Amino acid sequence: MVSHSSNGRKHARRAAQGTSERRSTRNPAARHYRGGNHRARGGKGPKARGRSRHLILKWILGLIALCLAAGIGLFAYLYATTEVPAPEKVAMASNTTVYFSDGTTEMGTFSEQNREIIDCAVLPDYVGNAIVASENRSFYTDRGIDLQGIARALVNNVTKGTRQGGSTITQQYAERYYLGETTSYTGKLHEAILALKIAQSQDKSQVLCNYMNTIYLGRGAYGIQAAAQAYFNKDAKDLTVSEAAMIAGIIPAPSTWDPAQNPKMAQQRFHRVISIMKEDGYITAKEAADASTMPDTVESTQQDMYKGPNGYLLQMVRDELVNSKAFTKDDLDTGGYRIVTTIDKSKQDLMQQVVSPASNGMQGVVPEGMQFGAMSVNPKDGSIISLYAGDDYLTKQLNNATQAQYEVGSTMKAFALMGAVQDKVSLNTIFNGNSKRTYPGIAGTVSNVGGANLGYINLYKATAQSSNTVFMDLQTKLGTKKIAELAREAGVQSTSLDGSEPYTVLGNNALTVRDMTWAYSTIANQGNKPTLHIVASVKNVHNEDLYQAPTSTTKVFEANDANLVTKALTGVVQSGTATEARSIGHTIAGKTGTSNNMYAASFVGYTPSVVSTFAMWYPDANGNPQEIPSFGRWTGHSDYPVHLFTQYMTQALAGTANESFPTAKDNGKVGGSDGTWGTGSQSSSKRYYSSSGSQDADTQDQSTDSAQSGQSGESGAGTGGTGSGSGTGTGSTGECATNPSAAGCTSSGSGSNGTGSGSNDTGGTGSSGSGSNGTQGDVPGDTPSDPSTNPEQTPGVME
């Protein structure tokens, strides 16, 4: 009996076997999912490939995972180790502004970039919001980077070969403010990480402010403040909504989209910004409507701060601060300092107007190519009040006040006078003031201006009349090196003044206006040497003091010695070669100077509070000196510098009280301590002329007082010690004094050959109107000489 269960099992086995055979027919290689793929023993079918594909996929996924893990790890490491660095110096660079002495009137700026860092707290909110609307609408909510922007930039960089960066304000800020321009991929990665770090550590308002102070906005302007000035000639705090929107709109390409260059694009960008500002709620619909018209911009100009006369002042400021070692050139260009100078704006304008032929009406009268230099200072602290260095620094960089040199002439005589005073020589000592005299070691003869014979005169008179021969006597006693040393002690900076010139006392060394102004300032300041300077103070952006001017002085001469020299120099103005300066109405001391062959002429004059130097010289096209010809009503001597001094000081001192010089006592001995100076200690000064008011009454010759009155258009008469004379003159005060032959001026003089004591039997003739004395007796054995027959013999100066 057949069991059904057994038959069922057989049928099942057969069915299973059939199924297996059918499967084998379809797939000869049986699959063993856990044992891998194996061909049937002895099978001839193809090898399995599924496992190989899975291995490659696993490797790829593994590498991707490894790269992601490495990237995340690297990013985490870089984020953890990246510090927010100090700002890039160029990003923080701000204009240094230079002011006149009032501290408010701007003279110019120093800058590596035209940037002025400002406190954004003073800006209306819409200024920053306009930039946000233009550049990064999600700025206030994003985390500092834009992943889509980075991806887009990466694709463009790969496909187009460009070097684009991220688009957020924070990323741009990180690049410009901290890193400078970045172009490498590693640099961009660093930039992105830094942007994230900044977003976590800095307030959005701080980021936006620094960005606004950093971004380039066209027209050479870096930062919103410079841009506001460049486009609208106003401060950023005063920008309107429409003005802020216009500037913000052109940020991506400010030079290309400048309204002056591409008004259509500028217009499109402007309306875009206004629309976004309204849409994002920064302005109301009404404000948007009110700001719907793009504002007009000012004309684009590239101003050079060094143009014109101010360029000389700015360069002097730079040089002074750099030479002080307190600042470098880069400091001045990037520090954003506030520099206040000592230059008085009104007096600087006055100086320019008085000296420049282009401003004083003398253009076409003054010979073409004539050069002028001038400087006015306060001798008490050395502050430079004003100066004339030239008309345009960009045309001629050589500064006529501090760099150009001229032969200083008889202005050097003041230091020989100082030497005599220091050697205890009384200024009443008598010297031979005649021309055509000889001196040890000097070839040829030395004469006075025009070959004049001044007779036997004391040092007051010799100073007033600028006697070359008397001062050559002083040089013989002092030595050239001593005179040079005294001038250097007083303030002459030029090393060329070393006493090697045989005519040092007559001033044939070439020095600068600054040299002579400085040296005379020491005399004016009672022997206390100041430091001439143009910078008063420097402050940083936080209004902290960084630098103060050196206003202290150094005592180099005894006060009485300096005051005695000043006493003698007042005679130059009162009765000597600079009488036009009497019209200023203030007590003035000073000295004229005309160089060898009339190559240069100058005058240094002063009150106790103001020292001013005016000089002129006449180089040829190659810079070689040439004779100054007469021009207009001027002789080419020092009369024109005296005239310029008078014009300037009359106005500069207007409304100020007249200052008297300190009283000086002449403690010296006539003839010097050894009795060998001049004619010696036994000579009686009563027989000789002296400067009015310059010595004690018992030695004063009153003929000087009256005869000199004619110099200012007055009349007077006087009696000389050995003869008699009178002088009359008519004409305007000052003008006719220095140029009696000018229209409207007359002069006359007479001298009678009086009979005097001894053998002085003849008298010279003088003209009161021309500034000469009345008659005077000559020395024994001499006869008066006609200046026309006595040409200048001095290789040094004439006056």
Side-chain angles (χ1 to χ4, degrees):
M1 182 174 168
V2 177
S3 174
H4 289 284
S5 59
S6 176
N7 287 337
R9 286 192 292 272
K10 289 179 181 178
H11 285 296
R13 285 195 296 270
R14 287 177 184 153
Q17 185 178 359
T19 302
S20 177
E21 288 173 353
R22 288 193 297 271
R23 288 176 179 170
S24 297
T25 302
R26 291 195 301 269
N27 186 6
R31 291 186 181 179
H32 300 278
Y33 293 103
R34 297 189 182 182
N37 290 328
H38 301 280
R39 285 183 294 170
R41 185 173 298 175
K44 302 296 183 180
K47 296 180 179 180
R49 292 173 297 187
R51 183 171 175 80
S52 297
R53 287 198 299 269
H54 280 283
L55 285 172
I56 292 172
L57 181 60
K58 286 181 177 181
W59 274 106
I60 291 173
L61 291 175
L63 288 173
I64 291 175
L66 182 62
C67 289
L68 286 174
I72 293 171
L74 177 62
F75 186 86
Y77 171 77
L78 291 175
Y79 186 87
T81 57
T82 295
E83 299 290 338
V84 177
E88 264 292 290
K89 186 175 182 180
V90 69
M92 289 298 293
S94 179
N95 293 349
T96 289
T97 307
V98 184
Y99 298 90
F100 286 95
S101 60
D102 60 8
T104 58
T105 306
E106 186 175 323
M107 180 186 293
T109 59
F110 302 140
S111 62
E112 183 173 288
Q113 295 178 343
N114 180 22
R115 177 188 286 119
E116 183 178 345
I117 302 295
I118 62 169
D119 179 2
C120 297
V122 304
L123 298 177
D125 289 341
Y126 55 73
V127 174
N129 290 334
I131 292 176
V132 170
S134 175
E135 291 296 291
N136 182 194
R137 294 179 71 175
S138 65
F139 170 72
Y140 290 113
T141 57
D142 65 35
R143 296 186 177 181
I145 63 172
D146 178 2
L147 293 178
Q148 290 182 346
I150 292 174
R152 182 174 58 252
L154 179 62
V155 171
N156 288 333
N157 291 345
V158 172
T159 60
K160 299 179 181 180
T162 60
R163 281 291 184 270
Q164 296 180 12
S167 59
T168 69
I169 283 176
T170 308
Q171 285 175 266
Q172 295 180 54
Y173 160 62
E175 177 183 17
R176 292 178 173 85
Y177 197 76
Y178 292 105
L179 304 176
E181 293 293 333
T182 55
T183 57
S184 67
Y185 289 117
T186 55
K188 291 299 181 183
L189 176 61
H190 190 195
E191 173 189 309
I193 295 172
L194 184 59
L196 283 172
K197 197 91 170 184
I198 289 170
Q200 297 298 316
S201 62
Q202 294 184 17
D203 184 80
K204 290 288 186 179
S205 62
Q206 179 185 351
V207 173
L208 181 59
C209 181
N210 289 341
Y211 176 79
M212 287 193 293
N213 273 322
T214 305
I215 189 71
Y216 180 64
L217 293 165
R219 298 194 177 187
Y222 289 80
I224 191 66
Q225 172 65 13
Q229 291 289 344
Y231 288 102
F232 301 108
N233 197 27
K234 61 171 59 175
D235 290 332
K237 65 182 178 61
D238 299 322
L239 289 172
T240 64
V241 171
S242 60
E243 290 167 344
M246 190 239 89
I247 293 174
I250 65 173
I251 287 176
S255 297
T256 304
W257 295 347
D258 184 327
Q261 303 297 323
N262 194 337
K264 183 177 180 180
M265 180 58 76
Q267 187 87 256
Q268 292 177 6
R269 297 290 300 182
F270 165 75
H271 288 300
R272 173 183 174 272
V273 174
I274 291 294
S275 177
I276 294 174
M277 291 180 74
K278 181 180 73 170
E279 183 179 336
D280 290 355
Y282 296 132
I283 57 176
T284 65
K286 182 180 184 305
E287 289 171 332
D290 293 341
S292 61
T293 302
M294 191 174 80
D296 294 328
T297 59
V298 298
E299 183 179 354
S300 178
T301 58
Q302 297 296 324
Q303 294 183 346
D304 194 318
M305 286 296 180
Y306 286 86
K307 184 177 181 180
N310 279 4
Y312 297 103
L313 304 178
L314 291 172
Q315 189 60 50
M316 286 175 64
V317 169
R318 288 182 69 92
D319 291 343
E320 184 168 297
L321 290 176
V322 171
N323 291 338
S324 74
K325 308 298 183 184
F327 305 90
T328 66
K329 292 179 180 179
D330 286 344
D331 289 338
L332 296 178
D333 286 337
T334 63
Y337 303 134
R338 174 186 174 86
I339 301 174
V340 178
T341 69
T342 62
I343 300 296
D344 184 307
K345 179 64 165 62
S346 62
K347 291 182 175 61
Q348 178 64 26
D349 291 343
L350 171 63
M351 179 71 80
Q352 195 74 21
Q353 180 182 357
V354 166
V355 181
S356 172
S359 302
N360 64 11
M362 291 295 286
Q363 198 163 33
V365 179
V366 171
E368 185 70 25
M370 183 83 79
Q371 297 296 310
F372 296 91
M375 181 177 286
S376 184
V377 308
N378 180 345
K380 295 179 180 179
D381 62 9
S383 57
I384 300 174
I385 300 169
S386 62
L387 61 94
Y388 178 81
D391 285 339
D392 184 8
Y393 181 78
L394 295 183
T395 301
K396 182 180 73 70
Q397 281 75 55
L398 187 69
N399 187 314
N400 280 359
T402 64
Q403 296 173 318
Q405 296 184 327
Y406 67 98
E407 290 186 31
V408 299
S410 289
T411 56
M412 186 58 63
K413 291 175 180 175
F415 307 105
L417 201 62
M418 174 64 73
V421 169
Q422 288 183 338
D423 277 7
K424 304 304 180 184
V425 177
S426 170
L427 298 190
N428 289 309
T429 300
I430 304 301
F431 289 80
N432 181 352
N434 288 314
S435 291
K436 302 184 72 172
R437 293 183 53 206
T438 60
Y439 298 87
I442 302 294
T445 61
V446 175
S447 294
N448 300 312
V449 58
N453 288 318
L454 300 177
Y456 274 59
I457 53 177
N458 65 18
L459 287 175
Y460 289 108
K461 184 65 174 180
T463 302
Q465 293 300 318
S466 196
S467 171
N468 293 333
T469 53
V470 170
F471 278 89
M472 284 296 291
D473 280 331
L474 295 187
Q475 178 177 282
T476 301
K477 300 293 288 185
L478 294 167
T480 57
K481 292 190 180 299
K482 177 62 176 178
I483 295 170
E485 177 187 336
L486 289 168
R488 294 285 298 276
E489 287 180 4
V492 171
Q493 302 296 297
S494 177
T495 57
S496 65
L497 181 62
D498 58 5
S500 60
E501 291 287 344
Y503 300 99
T504 295
V505 73
L506 302 183
N508 59 348
N509 281 100
L511 304 175
T512 68
V513 166
R514 180 186 177 95
D515 281 333
M516 299 312 293
T517 307
W518 197 334
Y520 271 73
S521 292
T522 299
I523 297 175
N525 197 35
Q526 303 187 64
N528 297 303
K529 178 183 176 181
T531 298
L532 262 58
H533 59 276
I534 193 172
V535 177
S537 66
V538 180
K539 295 180 182 292
N540 63 15
V541 293
H542 304 296
N543 205 37
E544 297 168 336
D545 288 328
L546 299 181
Y547 177 89
Q548 291 291 328
T551 56
S552 60
T553 60
T554 303
K555 182 178 180 180
V556 295
F557 304 136
E558 292 297 326
N560 188 71
D561 291 348
N563 295 337
L564 192 56
V565 171
T566 291
K567 182 178 180 180
L569 293 176
T570 58
V572 175
V573 175
Q574 288 301 310
S575 59
T577 56
T579 53
E580 182 184 357
R582 289 167 59 182
S583 66
I584 296 171
H586 286 251
T587 303
I588 304 288
K591 188 69 192 74
T592 53
T594 305
S595 77
N596 179 46
N597 298 321
M598 292 176 62
Y599 285 162
S602 60
F603 179 68
V604 188
Y606 59 93
T607 70
S609 297
V610 183
V611 177
S612 297
T613 301
F614 291 78
M616 66 179 184
W617 57 97
Y618 189 40
D620 63 19
N622 297 318
N624 300 313
Q626 57 183 347
E627 180 181 342
I628 299 174
S630 59
F631 55 92
R633 61 189 180 90
W634 309 105
T635 65
H637 290 225
S638 58
D639 51 353
Y640 191 64
V642 171
H643 178 67
L644 297 178
F645 173 89
T646 302
Q647 286 192 312
Y648 172 80
M649 292 289 276
T650 297
Q651 298 174 72
L653 298 177
T656 65
N658 179 41
E659 294 182 88
S660 299
F661 291 111
T663 301
K665 184 172 181 61
D666 192 339
N667 297 315
K669 181 180 178 182
V670 172
S673 57
D674 60 1
T676 63
W677 293 67
T679 59
S681 59
Q682 302 304 315
S683 300
S684 171
S685 59
K686 276 192 174 184
R687 298 170 52 200
Y688 307 103
Y689 287 101
S690 56
S691 177
S692 173
S694 297
Q695 60 283 324
D696 297 336
D698 62 342
T699 61
Q700 182 175 346
D701 191 328
Q702 298 298 327
S703 66
T704 301
D705 219 4
S706 56
Q708 290 298 326
S709 298
Q711 293 179 343
S712 59
E714 302 170 10
S715 62
T719 302
T722 58
S724 63
S726 64
T728 61
T730 61
S732 61
T733 299
E735 179 176 319
C736 295
T738 56
N739 189 31
S741 61
C745 300
T746 62
S747 61
S748 62
S750 63
S752 58
N753 296 334
T755 300
S757 61
S759 57
N760 296 341
D761 56 358
T762 57
T765 301
S767 168
S768 63
S770 65
S772 301
N773 289 319
T775 61
Q776 64 182 42
D778 278 324
V779 297
D782 281 347
T783 57
S785 301
D786 181 353
S788 65
T789 64
N790 286 275
E792 175 63 48
Q793 300 293 320
T794 307
V797 300
M798 298 176 62
E799 175 180 296

